[in-house]
């Protein structure tokens, strides 16, 4: 059969791509064959080792025949698959696969390589047939086809079976022009022309600069170009109000203008690169249901074509922005993404995952989840202080959907707790109730809100940006406080959070940041580092001005900016003459301390729509203003020169470009390329520069960057303590990675940084992008840091003892990565960072195929890596605090909240933290417990909500006085929001203590708000917790926030300070006290929580390390302080270290 293809004729040269299908006959088994080379495209991480034929053909298209006859597999250690004893599968038409779940307990598949048996030799083709007739109609383009047959029955013929060529249809008959002209007469092209009239015009680019070389077209036909002043002249154009001209200028959106007069001025808008407003949302469905994926892309002009991809394969028939799939089948599960394209380029959305499940979309059997028990609740049955309370996996599930097909599901369903049972644990002298998950089920997801908060401060000295404005999508949404603090609730459906910080006081450069946040909800803390504006200099607009940029002393400037005379323009396009106040601030990558102040996230959109990274050679922000009236000025034809001596990687010289930052998308957009040019400096010295031209308009931040394609991901996890248990991973930690220049020996400068990235940890850690190199292990290095709410987490030590098990990466790969903590060579340096060589894993080395560094294309494998896979680790400084909730809740994951009357936090996304300040008169630091029980609600009266243990902090000036800020459960509505419960709170010092004083205002409040709790035992204090947020005069501190960590941090800061609106880094033992206890001089013989935990760690967790008593005491104060206040220690005011007492 002959097939014809038709396209409408457009009058333009067409690029025709013909997809030819080639059919092959199978090989007879008797034909001579040969083996291919060995292939290894996967490793046994994740679910197993998959050496699939389709994947091998993707990477090695020409090295495997169409129809392999046989397949052979071996391990990377040359052991045949049949001799490994592992359960494997093989099919020459599909490939080879080994599943970890099919192996024995605690066993995984080996790393396999495969090869294929292919026929040897090629057959011959018969002659081509005649071309088929051209099927095109008049004004159309078609394709003529011909075919040929393989004449060998036993051999494969190489090449296409079908061939095609373009052909034109016959000319269309001309019809008489029926156009009625208001002025002039119709010409042969059926256009009105006025022979006596000439049109004069002028074209201005965005920013008001003259537009040289703009093309003027009418009905797609070229008329003229503008001259060097942006002027044009077109004869025979009728000023009848019916003539439409199209103006085109590189880098600007096409402009269509109706011409009503003889002289016009056209003003352009810049082309706006395509950017994604909303990505397709992941879905979970059952077979037979429907799913819709939507992508929303904006730009100027708008995209004109959409394509959808399923598992990286183009879906031919889908060309709309919405993809609807009905009657789902299991084979349709996988990853989907959209690609939009238009005149300004293309862009791809993030991938969305479609899971098609069977009836049991949520496994009813809970996963294991260990919680730590109180210090006096050791369990003999497990020989530890841990108890398994179970949890449900935080995954989406499929439930009955409404009939409407929507981009975003009206109701989302998650796997959650369906049934809990109470267990009584035997402790020392009491029974401890705990709720255990016994069954999971599919239910509505918990509504959550995502928040970012933090401080905007100067990068050089920490000065806050006071009362600055914060913009999102060009709209002001918030402002910073007096101390530079800010808090922003992220709008729903936000995919990429781009914020611009603007300083009203003009001290700091306007700074655009792309802030990672927790999409599941909760708060993430960010510290925004701002560059201080350079003091302006006065220059003359009528002279040539040269500005040199470089911030490192004793080193040559990196960049020169040359501004020709009469280059400054007002915003209306008029040439400015007069003195100019010029401020140019340069971010010098040779100064490592400036890395955190880098703008945006150094990404751009490539030609195919992929998000690609940049490596910077410097950023500069410009501010030009008229000296007399302070009006902002633009500048045209500015020459930028980069000293090529600063570019030590020779391959970067040919790819260096100028970029400007789009403050709304946070993406860098190309301004132009740089060319090599030699210039003389002084009488004899000749230097080589990279030189490019640019305009300075409404965008004032520019970058000298090169695209870099040597990319990897680094796996990092954060933990609550140095036990590094899977159940103690912390979400919401901001992990940052600074990519350093390649080391000496790789022909570049080892002291400069090239990129700065941040990622927020989820339930399975974080994967950080980094530049890497496979040929030379130490080509690229990186520094990695972790921050949680202002608290810097500690990395695993590398000296004096180097322990790969603690670091989380096995040898010999760890040695190749050259892991070193920041205090490796100097113990006085903080322990909050580590450096590594970012050595790309070799596919032929099995021990490098399981993390912690993953090739860029294996992001999903990095994100889904099991806990047993290699990773780097950070841990919080474990303080003298212990929290126990009867109903377990992970404060890092709002989705773990459970509807239960005994939940410590009764309402998700409205967290109320309460603290009481207790003063201790004793020569020793005392552990104080709050026991929180139901007080007045009939569903919870007498039942335990939870326990809180906190050790007091000694006064730095009075050795016999200490104080503690002790959390208790706030009174208020329970989860059903029907009735209030006054929490019954017992404050119990651990030891020989006696209550000495109760705050008189607190006592009066309790007496006046009945019922009144009985306080017969002078060793403790009992109260029905107040419903009102009382404040420091009562010794009670209450804060409500949408994030539990934030609420607790603010309340703790006020409690330490003893005020209702302040915060402190030091415990003030005489301010804002609620209770005072006197405790005996003798040491308490009963073990406290911290002594017990120290002695029991070796029994419970194999990776625990024993820390000395003095080290524990040194860390205590900063661990108990608010996370934004970590500088407190046991040092006295003179700076001498005091000796910690037991």
């Amino acid at each position: 059969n002959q097939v014809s293809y038709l396209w409408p004729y457009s009058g333009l040269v067409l690029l025709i791509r013909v997809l030819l299908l080639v059919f092959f006959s199978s090989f007879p088994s008797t034909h001579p064959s040969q083996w291919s080379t060995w292939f290894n495209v996967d490793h046994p991480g994740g679910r197993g080792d998959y050496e699939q034929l389709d994947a091998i053909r993707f990477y090695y298209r020409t090295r495997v025949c169409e129809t392999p006859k046989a397949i052979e597999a071996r391990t990377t250690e040359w052991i045949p698959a049949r001799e490994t004893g592992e359960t494997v599968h093989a099919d020459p038409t599909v490939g080879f696969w080994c599943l970890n779940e099919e192996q024995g307990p605690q066993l995984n598949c080996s790393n396999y390589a495969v090869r294929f048996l292919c026929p040897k030799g090629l057959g011959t083709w018969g002659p081509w047939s005649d071309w088929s007739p051209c099927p095109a109609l008049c004004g159309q383009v078609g394709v003529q086809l011909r075919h040929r047959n393989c004449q060998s029955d036993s051999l494969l013929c190489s090449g296409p079976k079908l061939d095609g060529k373009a052909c034109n249809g016959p000319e269309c008959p001309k019809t008489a022009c029926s156009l009625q002209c208001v002025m002039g007469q119709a010409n042969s092209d059926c256009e009105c022309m006025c022979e006596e009239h000439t049109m004069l015009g002028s074209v201005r680019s965005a920013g008001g600069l003259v537009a040289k070389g703009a093309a003027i077209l009418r009905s797609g036909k070229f008329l003229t170009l503008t001259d060097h002043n942006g002027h044009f002249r077109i004869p025979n154009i009728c000023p009848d109000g019916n003539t439409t001209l199209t103006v085109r200028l590189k880098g600007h959106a096409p402009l269509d203008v109706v011409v009503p007069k003889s002289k016009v001025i056209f003003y352009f808008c810049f082309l706006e690169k395509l950017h994604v407003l909303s990505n397709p949302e992941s879905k979970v469905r059952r077979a037979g249901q429907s799913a819709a994926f939507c992508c929303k892309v904006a730009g100027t002009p708008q995209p004109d074509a959409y394509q959808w991809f399923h598992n990286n394969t183009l879906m031919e028939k889908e060309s709309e922005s919405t993809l609807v799939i009905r009657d789902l089948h299991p084979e349709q599960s996988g990853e989907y993404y959209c690609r939009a394209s238009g005149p300004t380029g293309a862009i791809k959305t993030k991938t969305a995952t479609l899971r098609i499940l069977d009836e049991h979309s949520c496994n009813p059997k809970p996963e294991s989840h260990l919680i730590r028990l109180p210090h006096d609740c050791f369990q003999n049955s497990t020989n530890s202080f841990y108890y398994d309370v179970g949890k449900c996996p935080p995954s989406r599930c499929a439930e009955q959907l409404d009939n409407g097909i929507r981009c975003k599901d009206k109701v989302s369903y998650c796997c959650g707790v369906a049934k809990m049972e109470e267990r009584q644990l035997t402790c020392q002298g009491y029974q401890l109730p705990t709720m255990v998950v016994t069954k999971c089920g599919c239910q509505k997801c918990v509504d959550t809100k995502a928040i970012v908060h933090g401080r905007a401060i100067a990068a050089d000295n920490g000065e806050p940006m006071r009362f600055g404005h914060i913009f999102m999508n060009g709209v002001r949404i918030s402002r910073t406080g007096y101390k530079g603090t800010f808090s922003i609730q992220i709008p729903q459906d936000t995919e990429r959070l781009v914020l611009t910080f603007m300083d009203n006081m003009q001290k700091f450069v306007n700074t655009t940041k792309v802030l990672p946040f927790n999409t599941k909800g909760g708060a993430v803390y960010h510290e925004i580092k701002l560059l201080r504006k350079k003091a302006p200099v006065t220059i003359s607009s009528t002279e040539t001005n040269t500005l040199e940029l470089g911030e490192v002393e004793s080193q040559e400037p990196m960049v020169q900016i040359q501004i020709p005379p009469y280059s400054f323009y007002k915003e209306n396009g008029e040439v400015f003459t007069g003195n100019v106040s010029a401020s140019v601030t340069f971010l010098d990558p040779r100064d490592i301390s400036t890395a955190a102040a880098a703008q945006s996230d150094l990404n751009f959109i490539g030609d195919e729509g992929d998000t690609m990274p940049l490596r910077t050679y410097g950023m500069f922000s410009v501010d030009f203003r008229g000296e007399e009236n302070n009006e902002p000025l633009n500048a045209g034809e500015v020459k930028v020169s980069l000293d090529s001596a600063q570019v030590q990687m020779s391959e970067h010289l040919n790819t260096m470009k100028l970029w400007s930052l789009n403050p709304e998308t946070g993406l860098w957009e190309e301004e132009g390329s740089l060319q090599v040019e030699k210039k003389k400096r002084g009488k004899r010295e000749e230097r080589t520069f990279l030189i490019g031209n640019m305009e300075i308009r409404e965008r004032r931040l520019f970058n000298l960057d090169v695209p870099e394609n040597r990319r990897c991901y680094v796996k990092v996890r954060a933990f609550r303590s140095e036990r590094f248990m899977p159940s103690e991973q912390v979400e919401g930690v901001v992990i940052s990675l600074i990519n350093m220049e390649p080391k000496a020996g790789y022909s570049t400068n080892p002291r400069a940084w090239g990129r700065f990235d941040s990622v927020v940890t989820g339930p399975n850690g974080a994967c950080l992008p980094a530049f890497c190199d496979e040929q030379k292990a130490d080509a690229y290095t990186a520094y990695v840091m972790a921050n949680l709410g202002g608290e810097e987490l500690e990395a695993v030590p590398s000296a004096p003892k180097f322990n790969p098990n603690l670091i989380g990466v096995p040898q010999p790969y760890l040695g190749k990565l050259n892991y070193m903590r920041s205090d490796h060579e100097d113990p006085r340096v903080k322990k909050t960072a580590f450096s590594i060589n970012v050595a790309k894993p070799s596919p032929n080395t099995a021990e490098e195929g399981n993390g912690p560094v993953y090739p860029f294309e294996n992001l999903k494998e990095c994100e889904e890596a099991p806990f047993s896979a290699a990773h780097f680790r950070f841990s919080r400084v474990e303080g003298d605090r212990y929290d126990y909730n009867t109903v377990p809740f992970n404060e890092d994951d709002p989705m773990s909240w459970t509807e239960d009357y005994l939940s410590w936090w009764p309402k998700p996304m409205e967290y109320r933290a309460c603290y009481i300040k207790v003063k201790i008169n004793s020569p020793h630091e005392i552990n104080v417990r709050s026991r929180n029980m139901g007080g007045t609600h009939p569903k919870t009266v007498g039942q335990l909500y939870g326990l809180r243990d906190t050790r007091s902090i000694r006064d730095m000036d009075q050795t016999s006085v200490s104080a503690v800020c002790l959390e208790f459960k706030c009174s208020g509505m329970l989860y059903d929001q029907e009735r209030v419960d006054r929490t019954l709170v017992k404050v119990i010092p651990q030891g020989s203590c006696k209550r000495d004083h109760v705050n008189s205002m607190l006592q009066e409040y309790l007496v006046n708000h009945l019922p009144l709790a009985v306080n017969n035992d002078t060793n403790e204090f009992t109260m029905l917790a107040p419903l009102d947020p009382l404040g420091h005069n009562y010794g009670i501190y209450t804060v409500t926030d949408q994030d539990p960590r934030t609420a607790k941090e603010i309340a703790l800061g006020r409690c330490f300070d003893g005020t209702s609106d302040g915060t402190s880094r030091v415990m003030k033992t005489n301010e804002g006290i609620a209770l005072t206890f006197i405790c005996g001089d003798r040491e308490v013989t009963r073990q406290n929580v911290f002594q017990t935990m120290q002695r029991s760690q070796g029994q419970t967790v194999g990776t625990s390390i024993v820390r000395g008593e003095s080290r524990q005491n040194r860390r205590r104060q900063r661990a108990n302080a608010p996370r934004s206040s970590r500088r407190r220690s046991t040092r006295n005011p003179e700076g001498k270290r005091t000796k910690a007492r037991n």
Side-chain angles (χ1 to χ4, degrees), residues 53 164 224 259 331 477 570 692 768:
L53 185 57
T224 188
V259 184
E331 60 270 15
I477 60 170
K570 300 178 182 179
L768 288 103

Side-chain angles (χ1 to χ4, degrees), residues 136-424:
L137 302 177
C138 75
Q140 294 181 334
V141 177
V143 174
Q144 294 176 277
L145 299 177
R146 63 177 181 174
H147 67 276
R148 59 181 177 174
N149 296 318
C150 184
Q151 294 184 330
S152 301
D153 295 332
S154 59
L155 296 178
L156 175 68
C157 291
S158 176
K161 184 176 181 178
L162 294 176
D163 189 17
K165 68 176 181 178
C167 62
N168 296 319
E171 292 187 6
C172 295
K174 294 185 178 180
T175 57
C177 179
S178 60
L179 178 65
Q180 298 294 324
C181 294
V182 177
M183 298 177 63
Q185 296 180 348
N187 62 8
S188 59
D189 293 328
C190 205
E191 297 172 335
C192 294
M193 305 293 289
C194 298
E195 295 183 359
E196 303 298 326
H197 190 273
T198 298
M199 176 185 172
L200 304 177
S202 178
V203 180
R204 300 289 178 87
S205 68
L209 305 182
V210 296
K212 175 184 176 182
I216 316 294
L217 302 95
R218 179 180 182 181
S219 301
K221 184 169 66 175
F222 174 78
L223 298 179
T224 188
L225 291 174
T226 58
D227 61 18
H228 66 284
N229 290 316
H231 299 153
F232 65 88
R233 176 188 179 96
I234 306 176
N236 304 330
I237 296 293
C238 295
D240 54 4
N242 294 322
T243 301
T244 300
L245 297 180
T246 299
V247 189
R248 297 182 181 273
L249 180 65
K250 182 180 179 182
H252 295 71
L255 184 66
D256 291 327
V257 180
V258 176
V259 184
K261 300 178 181 179
S262 61
K263 184 173 182 179
V264 294
I265 299 178
F266 302 151
Y267 285 93
F268 270 111
C269 293
F270 278 106
L271 284 174
E272 183 184 7
K273 289 281 190 179
L274 295 181
H275 57 278
V276 177
L277 297 179
S278 62
N279 291 290
E281 183 186 68
S282 294
K283 310 279 186 180
V284 178
R285 294 291 188 269
R286 293 198 185 102
Q289 290 182 330
S290 300
F293 295 105
C294 306
C295 69
K296 188 175 181 181
V297 177
T300 304
Q302 293 287 327
D304 52 23
Y306 290 89
Q307 295 173 306
W308 284 93
F309 294 80
H310 175 218
N311 293 336
N312 290 321
T313 301
L314 176 66
M315 304 174 71
E316 295 285 352
K317 298 181 180 180
E318 305 297 339
S319 59
E320 303 294 331
S321 61
T322 300
L323 169 67
V324 178
I325 311 174
R326 304 179 188 273
D327 191 22
L328 290 168
H329 301 285
E331 60 270 15
Q332 292 173 305
S333 61
E335 294 183 339
Y336 291 82
Y337 68 88
C338 165
R339 181 180 183 271
S341 56
T344 60
I347 192 169
K348 293 178 182 176
T349 65
K350 293 181 180 178
T351 58
T353 302
L354 175 62
R355 295 174 58 208
I356 301 177
L357 307 175
D358 57 18
E359 237 178 273
H360 301 293
S361 58
C362 178
N363 187 351
K365 184 179 179 181
E367 296 177 350
S368 175
H369 180 63
L370 299 176
I371 64 168
R372 191 161 53 122
L373 299 177
H375 69 279
D376 50 3
C377 205
F378 185 84
Q379 298 297 296
N380 293 322
S381 59
T382 60
N383 194 35
S384 73
F385 282 94
Y386 289 85
Y387 191 76
D388 191 352
V389 297
K391 70 172 183 178
C392 298
S395 58
R396 294 290 180 94
C397 55
E399 264 297 336
Q400 190 65 37
L401 301 175
D402 54 20
N403 294 327
I405 297 178
R406 299 178 175 86
C407 300
K408 183 177 180 64
D409 290 340
K410 190 174 182 180
V411 178
S412 297
Y413 291 91
C414 296
C415 193
V417 176
K419 185 178 179 182
M420 299 183 77
E421 294 180 359
E422 181 178 311
R423 305 281 169 81
Q424 293 289 335

Side-chain angles (χ1 to χ4, degrees), residues 637-832:
E637 294 298 325
V638 175
K639 182 178 289 187
V640 179
S641 304
L642 171 66
D643 186 354
S644 65
Q646 304 294 337
V647 185
Q648 302 292 340
M649 298 181 71
S650 57
E651 62 267 34
H652 285 178
L653 291 172
N654 297 323
T655 56
M656 186 76 64
K657 297 178 184 293
L658 271 168
W659 307 78
S660 67
L661 179 65
N662 185 330
E664 294 189 10
T665 65
L667 294 167
W668 294 90
E669 298 176 4
E670 184 179 339
E671 289 281 335
S673 300
L674 280 76
Q675 306 297 326
V676 177
E677 182 178 313
K678 291 188 177 182
K679 296 171 60 178
K680 284 192 175 182
R681 297 185 63 182
K683 295 182 178 179
R684 297 183 179 180
E685 183 183 10
E686 186 177 70
R687 301 280 293 276
T688 302
F689 288 84
L690 295 172
I691 296 179
N693 295 315
M694 60 183 291
E695 295 178 356
I696 296 176
R697 45 190 192 278
E698 78 276 5
R699 292 190 187 172
R700 301 301 174 109
L701 186 69
F702 302 93
N703 203 349
L704 294 153
D705 277 27
V706 293
E708 180 62 90
N709 56 10
R710 288 174 288 188
R711 298 175 288 164
C712 289
Y713 284 99
V714 179
K715 184 74 171 189
V716 181
R717 299 179 189 267
F719 297 85
R720 296 186 184 279
S721 70
E722 292 174 336
R723 289 180 291 273
F724 302 120
M725 295 181 62
S727 60
E728 292 189 350
Q729 292 190 79
V730 182
E731 298 184 45
V733 177
V734 179
I735 311 290
S736 299
L737 183 146
I738 304 176
N739 246 117
M740 304 301 293
E741 278 275 307
K743 282 193 172 183
Y746 200 77
S747 69
T748 192
N749 183 355
R751 292 168 295 178
W753 61 273
R755 186 175 173 83
F756 182 91
D757 285 282
S758 295
V759 179
V760 174
T761 58
N764 199 35
C767 295
L768 288 103
F771 296 146
C772 60
D773 192 87
E774 183 178 2
Q775 303 300 322
K776 193 173 180 63
D778 61 352
Y780 283 103
T781 60
Y783 282 100
V784 185
M785 301 155 288
N787 186 291
L788 178 65
E791 170 194 352
E792 294 178 309
L793 277 63
E794 285 193 2
V796 180
S798 57
K801 185 176 180 181
F802 192 75
N803 190 334
N805 290 331
L806 278 182
I807 295 171
V809 182
Q811 293 284 27
Y813 195 21
L814 182 60
K816 182 177 180 180
L817 297 175
N818 193 29
Y819 175 92
M820 285 193 296
R821 194 168 72 173
S822 45
D823 66 338
H824 184 84
E825 297 178 347
D826 186 352
R828 296 171 297 178
V829 177
K830 291 199 297 186
K831 309 168 185 178
T832 53

Side-chain angles (χ1 to χ4, degrees), residues 71-139:
I71 184 173
E72 183 179 1
R74 62 162 177 81
T75 69
T76 53
E77 298 177 353
W78 294 90
I79 302 174
R82 62 181 178 274
E83 297 179 9
T84 62
E86 297 175 359
T87 302
V88 297
H89 311 269
D91 185 334
T93 63
V94 178
F96 173 90
W97 63 100
C98 175
L99 304 179
N100 289 334
E101 62 184 18
E102 294 181 350
Q103 312 312 317
Q106 307 299 320
L107 296 178
N108 283 340
C109 296
S110 302
N111 190 10
Y112 286 94
V114 298
R115 64 177 181 174
F116 297 91
L117 187 65
C118 292
K120 192 175 183 180
L122 296 173
T124 57
W125 289 105
W128 286 104
S129 67
D130 295 332
W131 290 105
S132 64
C134 183
L137 302 177
C138 75

Side-chain angles (χ1 to χ4, degrees), residues 791-1045:
E791 170 194 352
E792 294 178 309
L793 277 63
E794 285 193 2
V796 180
S798 57
K801 185 176 180 181
F802 192 75
N803 190 334
N805 290 331
L806 278 182
I807 295 171
V809 182
Q811 293 284 27
Y813 195 21
L814 182 60
K816 182 177 180 180
L817 297 175
N818 193 29
Y819 175 92
M820 285 193 296
R821 194 168 72 173
S822 45
D823 66 338
H824 184 84
E825 297 178 347
D826 186 352
R828 296 171 297 178
V829 177
K830 291 199 297 186
K831 309 168 185 178
T832 53
F834 65 82
S835 65
I836 56 169
N837 295 333
V838 192
K840 186 175 182 179
S842 171
N844 298 320
T845 307
E847 58 268 17
E848 297 181 12
N850 199 29
V853 181
Y854 294 83
F856 189 79
E857 60 272 13
N858 292 355
L859 173 59
K860 186 175 181 180
E861 185 178 329
C862 177
E863 293 176 335
E864 299 177 356
F867 188 80
S868 57
H871 57 270
F872 294 109
R873 296 168 173 173
F874 284 95
S875 64
R876 298 190 62 188
V877 178
E878 187 178 26
D880 292 353
R881 288 186 297 180
Y882 169 75
D883 298 351
Y884 172 79
N885 296 328
T886 299
V887 179
F889 173 69
N890 180 4
E891 294 178 0
D892 301 322
D893 181 14
M895 298 290 292
S896 66
W897 182 83
T898 305
E899 289 185 353
D900 195 282
Y901 283 103
L902 292 176
S903 293
W904 184 275
W905 307 98
K907 188 177 180 182
M909 301 317 299
E910 186 176 301
Y911 299 96
R912 192 176 181 206
C914 294
Y915 285 82
I916 184 170
K917 192 167 185 178
V918 182
K919 182 177 180 180
I920 305 292
N921 288 317
S922 171
H924 310 293
E925 293 173 334
I926 301 298
N927 186 54
V928 184
R929 167 174 292 181
S930 74
R931 185 176 180 88
N932 304 268
M933 305 177 69
T936 60
H937 197 291
K939 293 283 189 181
T940 62
V941 63
Q943 298 185 61
L944 183 70
Y945 287 115
L947 306 174
R948 296 294 186 266
D949 288 344
T950 308
R951 179 176 279 271
S952 63
I953 298 176
R954 195 188 314 278
D955 191 292
M956 297 177 67
D957 298 320
Q958 305 177 63
T959 58
S960 61
V961 177
S962 61
V964 60
C965 289
L966 183 66
E967 185 185 7
F968 64 90
K969 186 186 182 303
C970 305
S971 294
M973 291 284 187
L974 299 188
Y975 88 91
D976 59 5
Q977 300 294 302
E978 291 182 356
R979 186 168 177 172
V980 167
D981 183 36
R982 293 275 303 278
T983 308
L984 182 66
V985 180
K986 285 183 178 289
V987 178
I988 311 167
Q990 305 289 296
S992 178
C993 298
K994 181 180 179 180
R995 188 174 68 248
D996 180 59
H997 178 72
V998 178
N999 183 299
S1000 58
M1001 295 182 65
L1002 175 61
Q1003 184 65 42
E1004 181 180 358
Y1005 176 92
L1006 296 176
V1007 170
N1008 293 331
H1009 293 77
L1010 300 177
L1012 182 65
V1014 178
N1015 262 301
N1016 293 330
D1017 190 346
T1018 59
N1019 293 326
E1020 58 188 40
F1021 174 76
T1022 305
M1023 69 174 179
L1024 287 169
L1027 283 168
D1028 302 305
L1030 297 182
H1032 70 285
N1033 290 328
Y1034 301 79
I1036 302 293
Y1037 303 86
T1038 305
V1039 172
T1040 302
D1041 197 86
Q1042 295 174 331
D1043 176 67
R1045 285 201 311 257

Side-chain angles (χ1 to χ4, degrees), residues 53-64:
L53 185 57
D54 287 346
I56 293 172
R57 283 194 177 124
F58 178 81
Y59 293 107
Y60 309 99
R61 297 184 184 277
T62 61
R63 293 171 61 180
V64 182

